Each structure stands twice: as structure tokens, then as C-alpha cells.
Amino acid sequence: MTVLADTRPLDVVADFPAIPAGYAYLDTAATAQKPRPVLDAIARGYGETYATVHRGVYQRSADMTLAFEAARRRVADFIGARSPDEIVFTRGATEGINLVAQCWAGTQLKAGDRILLSMLEHHSNIVPWQMVAERVGAAIDVVPLTADGRIDLDVMAQMLRPEHKLVALAHVSNVLGSVLDVQRAVTLAHGVGAKILIDGCQAVARLPVDVAALGCDFYVFSGHKLYGPTGIGVLWGRGELLEAMPPYQGGGSMIDRVTFERTTYAPPPGRFEAGTPHIVGVLGLHAAIDYVAGIGLDAIHAHETALVAAAREGLGRINSVTLFGPEDSAGIVSFAFQGVHPHDIGTILDEERVAIRAGHHCAQPLMDRLGVPATARASFGVYNSAADVDALVRGLERVSRIFG
């Protein structure tokens, strides 16, 4: 049996009703299961306290507004924002990136300017920048990876020029689990006058994040990867940058005064939150943050680090398996099985009650760089244990026997 060394394993699986005994859910990088406090917050929000926010004068609406804005303050505290007004609620990280692409890059960049990305980015941190670059005549450069799958900051330092106006990088790779030295990346970007956005989707659920200490200009993440609901996410931006940006969408809530001749807009964050928000999603996100904070991000990171080490050791004993990414990947292990398509691996593992991801993981340029059409990916969460790693290894041993 696999042993988790140097850390006390978490014992919280009972908090997750969607994970029955003997079921190894290893797809947390795609979406995390939800603990009871989050489910309870959602049920209570819809079933007991539901009302609109920011508009009603009746008590229940006022109470819901207080809860909604309390969640904004909780998010700000969770990621070290200077003010709750720097927290914009979005539908997810993808919308947050698109918002910055349209409202900052789309208004600031011009022909001849450059955007710097990396080879391991998720499509959501590639396509919005391509759309802006095509519209304004900017160009995109791509930072390569080190041999073990990290963004090569030494090469990035050589690539950066004053023409670079924006850098957008993942804090943690959703395929390789490699962790970016964000502070160094920020220093390099700011050294040529560029703004830098960090995609924190895979980071916030497993690493402490302090945007003030990191020094970045924008930071985005999704609630559903943080054990919260789908359809809710966060864009953090420096207050002075948000204040200078035009609205993303028009409609209710984002206005100051509307006439047929002219409309003036609310200050951030309301300026970027047109329409009725995902009220109960925000309450669920608050509960998810409280849940994660109650366990402790340091404890979560140590737990997942031990699981990754055990998984890499177990998979490394199977001759046909190729592992990708660094040894110290954060919660994620991607691999290929010689002669076996990842979809076949996923199907066989599913028969063994082991759920993994199989595909290009919305990172096709990275797949091209790795020289494979797709990978299999096991990703861990607070509810996983050594038994799940053992089940994964046993399932892959069965794959080896079937295709051997």
C-alpha cells in the first residue's frame, strides 16, 4: 500500500456526499466536488433567504445584499486584495480574462504592441488575447518551457521588450502542475512596463495567494475549482486599473444615470457586473472559501504534495508509462501510456471506479510541445487518500495487462 510520508493525511471525505465509498475521484483540476457547507449554503440561499440584491428596500433584500457584499469582502481577504472594490464577480475565470482582454487590452494596445504568453497556457488564456491582437494589430510571443515543464523565466527575461504591454501566465499549469514563480515573472514584466495577468484557477484551492505580495496587476480564478459552485468566478484587478477601464457589458446595476442622450457608469466593481448577479453562487463561493481556509491551505498543499509523490512513484514502476511535468507538481499528474489512447485508459479506469481526465485539457499547444495528441491526468483534492492512489495504480496495471 502507498504511504503518505511527512504529512498527516486529511480525513474529510465524509464532507462530500457525491463521493461514495470506494470511488476515487481524481478529476479535481477539471472541477472539484462540493462539501456539505457549500451545498447547505446554496440550499439555504435558494430555499430560505432568497431575494435580489442592491435593489430592494424590503428587509430580505437588504439582508441578501449584506450577505452578497460580505462574500466580496471574504474573497478580498482570502487573496490579499487591498479593497473589496477590487473584487469583480464573474461567471468564471474565462469571463475574467475576456473582461481584461476587452476592457483593458482592447483599449490600451495598438498596432505593433506585443503580448507575451507561455507554452503551457489553457485555451482561455490564449484565445481572448488572440482575438484582441487580431483586432488591434498586436502580436503574440510565447515563452518556452524548461525540460521539466516549467515556464522558462530565464528565456522570458531575454524575450521581453518595451513593445510588450501585457503578460498573461498560469500560476499552476492545469496539465503539468508546474508552479510559476509569480513574483519573478511580475518583476520581469514590470521591468519593461508591461502589465501582468495571472490565471489562478489551479492555485487558489491548493496554495496561499496574496495578490499584494505577488505584485501582479490582474488575477483570476473560478469558484468551481475551489470546491464552490459553477458559474461564479473572480477577477481581481488593481483599483486604479479597474477605475480606468470601460464597462464590459451594458445593462442594469452597472449604471450611474441613464438618459437616451447619455449614460454614466457606476464605479468598480459594479461597473463590470451588469445584470442580476449569480447571487447564490456568490454565497456558495463564500462557504467554499471558509471551508478551505478551515482546513488550511498549507495543510492542503502538503496533503496533495504527498499524493502526487506517491502517484508518481507508483506510476513510475509501470514501464509503459511516461510522466510529464516536474516532480514537485502541485496536485496534478499527467501521463501517457505507450500504445494506449488516453480515452481507453479513462474508460478502463472508470470500470475500476477511478475517475480521471483524458484529452488535451484545453491546452492543445502544450500537447503539440509534448509530442502527444492527449494525456491522461489524475488530479487530487482534499478528499483523496492513499487508497485512491493505490486504485489508480491497480487500474493502470490492468491497462498494462489488457494492452500488454
Side-chain angles (χ1 to χ4, degrees):
M1 295 293 291
T2 304
V3 176
L4 300 186
D6 301 324
T7 185
R8 180 180 179 182
L10 303 180
D11 184 17
V12 298
V13 69
D15 293 342
F16 294 84
I19 304 181
Y23 186 77
Y25 181 79
L26 302 178
D27 197 21
T28 298
T31 194
Q33 296 293 331
K34 316 308 173 193
R36 292 187 186 278
V38 171
L39 300 176
D40 291 345
I42 294 170
R44 188 166 54 251
Y46 278 126
E48 299 176 21
T49 63
Y50 186 73
T52 192
V53 295
H54 300 143
R55 299 187 181 101
V57 296
Y58 54 94
Q59 189 61 49
R60 180 177 286 193
S61 177
D63 291 343
M64 187 61 91
T65 298
L66 289 174
F68 187 88
E69 292 303 326
R72 196 188 305 275
R73 292 193 298 273
R74 185 67 180 97
V75 173
D77 179 68
F78 183 63
I79 64 170
R82 295 175 299 181
S83 166
D85 290 342
E86 295 181 329
I87 301 299
V88 178
F89 288 125
T90 64
R91 291 179 297 169
T94 297
E95 184 173 58
I97 294 171
N98 275 273
L99 194 160
V100 176
Q102 298 302 316
C103 301
W104 188 85
T107 62
Q108 297 295 316
L109 271 58
K110 62 185 185 304
D113 287 339
R114 308 188 77 85
I115 299 168
L116 189 67
L117 311 176
S118 87
M119 184 62 67
L120 57 67
E121 300 307 316
H122 190 282
H123 295 165
S124 292
N125 204 25
I126 299 174
V127 179
W129 309 118
Q130 290 177 328
M131 294 168 69
V132 168
E134 182 177 356
R135 191 173 83 238
V136 305
I140 292 176
D141 297 312
V142 182
V143 181
L145 306 182
T146 61
D148 64 350
R150 304 176 197 273
I151 298 172
D152 195 328
L153 294 182
D154 290 336
V155 174
M156 176 176 160
Q158 298 169 8
M159 293 177 65
L160 279 167
R161 311 201 303 264
E163 291 81 6
H164 285 108
K165 304 303 180 184
L166 181 82
V167 177
L169 303 172
H171 195 163
V172 174
S173 167
N174 74 305
V175 176
L176 304 175
S178 47
V179 181
L180 175 69
D181 182 346
V182 175
Q183 288 177 311
R184 186 183 176 202
V186 167
T187 299
L188 293 173
H190 288 173
V192 297
K195 298 295 187 289
I196 181 166
L197 176 144
I198 300 297
D199 172 2
C201 280
Q202 300 297 338
V204 292
R206 53 179 50 98
L207 299 173
V209 171
D210 184 331
V211 292
L214 293 176
C216 53
D217 300 293
F218 301 100
Y219 197 98
V220 299
F221 65 90
S222 294
H224 73 100
K225 298 180 192 294
L226 183 60
Y227 306 96
T230 55
I232 189 68
V234 170
L235 161 66
W236 169 82
R238 292 188 179 279
E240 62 272 20
L241 295 177
L242 295 178
E243 186 64 43
M245 288 161 53
Y248 181 50
Q249 297 176 321
S253 292
M254 49 74 69
I255 61 91
D256 171 41
R257 177 81 171 91
V258 175
T259 68
F260 281 110
E261 291 71 35
R262 181 172 182 266
T263 293
T264 54
Y265 305 119
R271 181 184 304 169
F272 306 106
E273 295 179 356
T276 301
H278 187 6
I279 300 165
V280 177
V282 168
L283 303 185
L285 177 61
H286 190 162
I289 290 173
D290 284 347
Y291 183 82
V292 167
I295 297 172
L297 283 161
D298 289 335
I300 292 171
H301 182 51
H303 175 71
E304 294 185 357
T305 296
L307 291 171
V308 164
R312 292 184 71 92
E313 191 276 330
L315 271 59
R317 295 197 303 266
I318 303 173
N319 292 333
S320 300
V321 169
T322 299
L323 292 165
F324 301 108
E327 293 288 334
D328 62 348
S329 60
I332 296 170
V333 178
S334 281
F335 58 94
F337 205 111
Q338 185 177 357
V340 186
H341 195 280
H343 289 172
D344 293 324
I345 297 172
T347 299
I348 293 170
L349 288 176
D350 188 43
E351 294 172 354
E352 300 293 316
R353 304 192 77 203
V354 177
I356 66 162
R357 198 71 160 182
H360 55 65
H361 316 297
C362 294
Q364 288 178 314
L366 177 56
M367 296 298 112
D368 293 341
R369 162 66 174 75
L370 297 177
V372 295
T375 71
R377 182 187 71 188
S379 53
F380 300 101
V382 296
Y383 31 65
N384 292 123
S385 67
D388 297 330
V389 175
D390 292 334
L392 172 66
V393 173
R394 285 196 306 271
L396 290 172
E397 288 170 347
R398 183 184 173 212
V399 172
S400 182
R401 291 193 299 272
I402 292 172
F403 289 93

